[in-house]
Amino acid sequence: EARAWPFLETSTTPGTAPVTISDLRQVLTVTDTTADYSLRYADIRTLRERDPDLDDTGNPTCFYLDGLTTLKVWPVNTTNTIAVRYLKIPTDLSAGSDTPVIPTRYHYLIVDGACAYGYPDADNAEGKAMALESYADGLAAMSNTLMGRNYATPEVILNRAPAFDS
């Protein structure tokens, strides 16, 4: 499931660029902690149009990804520290002692998913359909619980505002 699950959020220890993040799935924010400034994303092709060798130096204004796991800043800066908040790729469960990253109360979804996707197509179509439905229902419940946690959005505040009589 490729959602931005909150249990996949993590961050790097502030350090200087470039930053290699072996479990990087998606960057959420990059902050220059020295200048207390958020860096914006820039496509490397756009940066190369401006600076073909990507060797201009100064206080960074943006970041880009060089490959799958390396985050760099532009202009190049090796003194300011940056912190990266990102979604990680969870490690595979391969040993009996491995712990899933999903909250404990949803561990049953691992079994439901294995059952749903483990049924041979021709063996038991009804059992497969029931397992898929159970898995989908559990995934929806987890999504409703974990993905809608911000109740302080303007829409919610406006909907909860008391009515005023004039």
Side-chain angles (χ1 to χ4, degrees), residues 23-44:
D23 62 350
L24 177 64
R25 182 177 129 196
Q26 182 177 12
V27 175
L28 299 174
T29 61
V30 177
T31 306
D32 179 334
T33 58
T34 302
D36 194 25
Y37 181 78
S38 292
L39 304 181
R40 61 182 167 74
Y41 170 77
D43 187 280
I44 192 169

Side-chain angles (χ1 to χ4, degrees), residues 102 106-114 134-140 142:
I102 66 174
Y106 297 109
H107 282 186
Y108 72 91
L109 287 173
I110 297 168
V111 176
D112 282 0
S134 175
Y135 177 66
D137 289 347
L139 202 57
M142 184 169 75

Side-chain angles (χ1 to χ4, degrees), residues 2-164:
R3 297 182 197 185
W5 296 107
F7 52 80
L8 297 177
E9 291 180 19
T10 191
S11 59
T12 63
T13 302
T16 56
V19 178
T20 300
I21 307 170
S22 61
D23 62 350
L24 177 64
R25 182 177 129 196
Q26 182 177 12
V27 175
L28 299 174
T29 61
V30 177
T31 306
D32 179 334
T33 58
T34 302
D36 194 25
Y37 181 78
S38 292
L39 304 181
R40 61 182 167 74
Y41 170 77
D43 187 280
I44 192 169
R45 295 168 294 187
T46 304
L47 290 175
R48 285 194 185 279
E49 288 175 6
R50 186 173 187 174
D51 178 15
D53 295 326
L54 297 174
D55 59 359
D56 287 357
T57 59
N59 283 323
T61 57
C62 53
F63 71 93
Y64 63 96
L65 295 172
D66 188 9
L68 297 174
T69 61
T70 304
L71 185 138
K72 295 183 176 181
V73 297
W74 187 88
V76 176
N77 184 298
T78 57
T79 57
N80 290 19
T81 58
I82 62 167
V84 182
R85 185 124 185 95
Y86 67 100
L87 295 177
K88 66 182 178 178
I89 298 169
T91 55
D92 290 337
L93 300 175
S94 58
S97 60
D98 289 347
T99 304
V101 296
I102 66 174
T104 305
R105 66 185 178 272
Y106 297 109
H107 282 186
Y108 72 91
L109 287 173
I110 297 168
V111 176
D112 282 0
C115 288
Y117 292 101
Y119 267 109
D121 289 330
D123 184 38
N124 184 347
E126 184 178 334
K128 181 173 185 157
M130 288 174 52
L132 280 170
E133 183 178 355
S134 175
Y135 177 66
D137 289 347
L139 202 57
M142 184 169 75
S143 180
N144 288 336
T145 301
L146 300 178
M147 302 297 273
R149 299 178 303 148
N150 182 8
Y151 292 108
T153 61
E155 296 83 14
V156 173
I157 293 169
L158 290 174
N159 288 336
R160 291 188 176 176
F164 292 101

